[in-house]
Amino acid sequence: MNGKRMALAFILAMLMCLSGCSAVMVDQEKTELFVSDGMEIVLPARFEKHNAEGYTVCYATPTETVLALREAFSLAEGLETMTVREYADLVYLANADKVPSPITEEEGFPLMEYTYRVETVGVDFVYLSVMYKADHAFWTVQFACPEGNYEEYRPQFITWAKSVKFVSAE
């Protein structure tokens, strides 16, 4: 897990250094369908794809990051029979060290929120993690930004979360 956080810290630090702006773009901002590894998401065109160790997909701007982790049902017996809420509860337990908020339901999907300090840049980031069940895997998609921007960005994160779809990666 430390490797994942180090990679994310590097990406966020790099993007923060390149950024001179921190405002959420207006609703008329040009969007794009990003497709990778069986996941589709509609994001502002300013997002770029990055590699983040331990994650299936990563898109980022200087002020926001979207991380996605696919966990195939074949990883453990019984995963495919679990509900997305049961999976969300497992994700919650796996992240208990970050003291996440209890799992809530919003817009039809389970989500949790937590704050994580990236020591290398000395900034607290807030993560909104949304869990999904696709045909052959569970997905956790995390939307993150510096803590000071979270209340402003949260509605946009929910909009982006609603745009997520899964297609066969075969």
Side-chain angles (χ1 to χ4, degrees):
M1 194 66 153
N2 287 340
K4 291 181 192 178
R5 294 292 177 209
M6 290 292 287
L8 176 60
F10 175 76
I11 290 169
L12 291 172
M14 177 181 69
L15 292 173
M16 285 181 68
C17 290
L18 296 174
S19 172
C21 67
S22 64
V24 174
M25 299 295 190
V26 294
D27 288 337
Q28 292 82 14
E29 183 174 24
K30 182 180 177 204
T31 60
E32 184 175 322
L33 178 65
F34 290 83
V35 181
S36 183
D37 296 278
M39 184 185 93
E40 298 179 352
I41 185 170
V42 177
L43 296 169
R46 61 191 159 82
F47 272 81
E48 294 180 1
K49 187 172 183 182
H50 293 271
N51 291 319
E53 184 181 331
Y55 291 94
T56 308
V57 179
C58 175
Y59 300 108
T61 74
T63 56
E64 307 127 313
T65 301
V66 178
L67 298 157
L69 176 63
R70 176 182 56 212
E71 296 187 283
F73 295 153
S74 61
L75 290 176
E77 189 174 327
L79 272 182
E80 65 190 40
T81 62
M82 291 178 69
T83 66
V84 69
R85 178 55 194 241
E86 291 168 330
Y87 172 74
D89 290 339
L90 289 178
V91 171
Y92 178 84
L93 291 173
N95 289 283
D97 62 324
K98 295 168 198 67
V99 193
S101 65
I103 299 289
T104 60
E105 190 104 357
E106 193 165 328
E107 297 293 337
F109 40 71
L111 62 85
M112 71 177 179
E113 298 165 282
Y114 64 91
T115 302
Y116 180 79
R117 182 164 191 81
V118 178
E119 294 297 338
T120 56
V121 293
V123 175
D124 290 335
F125 288 86
V126 178
Y127 291 76
L128 183 138
S129 300
V130 182
M131 283 59 78
Y132 303 88
K133 185 175 184 177
D135 288 340
H136 302 289
F138 282 108
W139 287 77
T140 299
V141 180
Q142 298 181 312
F143 303 88
C145 67
E147 185 175 38
N149 298 349
Y150 185 68
E151 290 306 315
E152 180 182 0
Y153 286 22
R154 189 182 189 283
Q156 192 62 55
F157 289 170
I158 296 295
T159 297
W160 298 339
K162 291 186 327 188
S163 79
V164 171
K165 295 196 179 5
F166 301 99
V167 295
S168 176
E170 301 170 47

